[in-house]
């Protein structure tokens, strides 16, 4: 594929319900959408970075800048797809070529992943292949999972979980924080004795909190996600050693190399996989395969994406190492409507995208309404 242009669109989206966690509250959810063109092909990708650099150091405006100034020019200069098998799994070679083209730029995995997703999408679309086929995923659907943010009162959390259970969700994740942990979890567990429940601290604690966090062991949780800051692997190892509840690493897993360090340190017992956070589908698959080999269960995370990237996540969630339901919610989470269409949850499951490419092409009319800036980088 001779790449001719990389187009960026800034989607000015807002969440219907604020996303509140230990690191802050997100209401504005700008999405940097990427379209690659060349040789009559086109592909779409989106960047997972949030409005502010509070989840990781990346943020949407930074991703926009680094893509326009550094990543897109490098990718256009390098090109992709001169060789590669004419099969669905040919995407792996193209993903590796994108990674090579932008490897000289340090960091920015979410911005890199958006370009990779767009190139992979172009490749799959050209062959008429769904991403699921390319991954060898045959399941027609995967289990959904809901996330409940921190709230003002325990009653609010219990009511929200009740509504999710009513809607068919069989797995719920509660965000926890210092001063907001044992009490809401106990209340939800008391109300829903058999619900598959897990918690996510987003790095709010340290290794010195292991004894306190061990209080979670009595609630039969699937996991405690990211108890310590991303780089506090020793703290995480201390928590993992103290608790019966499995510790799941999310923010800490930034690359296959970081995974190896985490495994060597015993920093966690399972992995939440997000292709954006690790630099794309290629590294995500490498992490999946390594975890499968090492007997480390995975599940697929979410980044409040549009239906495009969420479709890719649903396909990833069908991989054999995905031992637990992912953060795959249904419904339209954007005030302005999801430009790529919302995923539907039916009987607690999300359908795996079976059209060509990584997911549905965003609707041009909906895009026109929410796009507030554009940039085109040409070869
Ligand atoms: Mg998380």
């Amino acid at each position: 594929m001779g790449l001719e242009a990389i187009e960026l669109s800034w989607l000015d989206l807002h969440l219907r319900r604020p996303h509140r966690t230990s690191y802050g509250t997100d209401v504005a959810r700008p999405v940097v959408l990427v379209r690659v063109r060349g040789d009559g092909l086109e592909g779409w990708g989106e960047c997972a970075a949030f409005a502010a650099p509070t989840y990781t150091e990346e943020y949407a405006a930074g991703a926009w800048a680094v893509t326009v100034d550094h990543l897109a020019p490098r990718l256009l200069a390098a090109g992709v797809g001169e060789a590669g098998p004419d099969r669905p799994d040919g995407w792996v070679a193209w993903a590796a070529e994108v990674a090579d083209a932008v490897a000289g730029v340090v960091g920015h995995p979410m911005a890199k992943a958006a370009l990779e997703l767009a190139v992979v999408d172009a490749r799959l679309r050209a062959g008429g292949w769904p991403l699921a086929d390319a991954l060898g995923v045959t399941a027609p659907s995967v289990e959904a999972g809901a996330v409940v943010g921190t709230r003002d009162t325990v009653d609010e959390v219990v009511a929200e979980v009740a509504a999710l259970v009513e809607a068919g969700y069989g797995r719920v994740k509660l965000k926890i924080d210092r001063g907001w942990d044992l009490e809401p979890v106990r209340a939800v567990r008391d109300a829903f004795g058999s619900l598959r429940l897990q918690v996510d601290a987003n790095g709010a604690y340290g290794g010195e909190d292991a004894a306190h966090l061990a209080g979670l062991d009595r609630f039969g949780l699937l996991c405690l996600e990211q108890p310590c800051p991303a780089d506090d692997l020793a703290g995480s190892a201390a928590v993992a050693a103290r608790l019966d509840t499995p510790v799941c690493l999310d923010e800490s897993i930034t690359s296959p190399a970081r995974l190896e360090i985490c495994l060597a340190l015993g920093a966690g017992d399972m992995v939440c996989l997000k292709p954006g956070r690790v630099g794309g589908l290629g590294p995500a698959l490498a992490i999946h395969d390594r975890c499968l080999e090492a007997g480390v269960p995975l599940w697929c995370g979410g980044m409040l994406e549009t239906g495009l990237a969420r479709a890719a996540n649903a396909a990833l969630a069908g991989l054999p190492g995905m031992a637990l339901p992912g953060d795959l919610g249904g419904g339209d989470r954007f005030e302005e409507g999801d430009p790529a269409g919302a995923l539907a949850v039916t009987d607690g499951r999300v359908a795996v995208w079976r059209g060509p490419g990584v997911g549905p092409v965003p609707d041009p009319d909906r895009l026109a309404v929410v796009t507030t800036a554009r940039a085109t980088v040409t070869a």
Side-chain angles (χ1 to χ4, degrees), residues 156-248:
E156 277 180 77
V157 173
V158 173
E160 203 169 324
V161 173
L164 290 165
V165 170
E166 179 69 26
Y169 288 93
R171 191 228 73 173
V172 172
K173 170 165 120 182
L174 305 180
K175 294 285 190 180
I176 61 169
D177 194 1
R178 287 182 180 275
W180 184 261
D181 43 33
L182 302 181
E183 200 187 342
V185 177
R186 178 185 299 113
V188 171
R189 180 47 87 210
D190 284 350
F192 306 95
S194 60
L195 178 67
R196 280 172 297 161
L197 192 63
Q198 62 192 69
V199 296
D200 185 0
N202 289 109
Y205 301 89
E208 70 279 9
D209 298 307
H212 170 71
L213 291 170
L216 293 167
D217 278 342
R218 79 191 74 147
F219 303 122
L221 303 177
L222 296 175
C223 67
L224 161 60
E225 186 181 338
Q226 201 64 40
C228 302
D231 64 351
D232 186 6
L233 301 178
S236 190
V239 174
R242 177 72 171 76
L243 268 62
D244 295 330
T245 305
V247 167
C248 177

Side-chain angles (χ1 to χ4, degrees), residues 73 82 108 136 149 166 195 308 311 378:
E82 292 307 318
H108 301 282
E166 179 69 26
L195 178 67
L308 176 68
T378 51

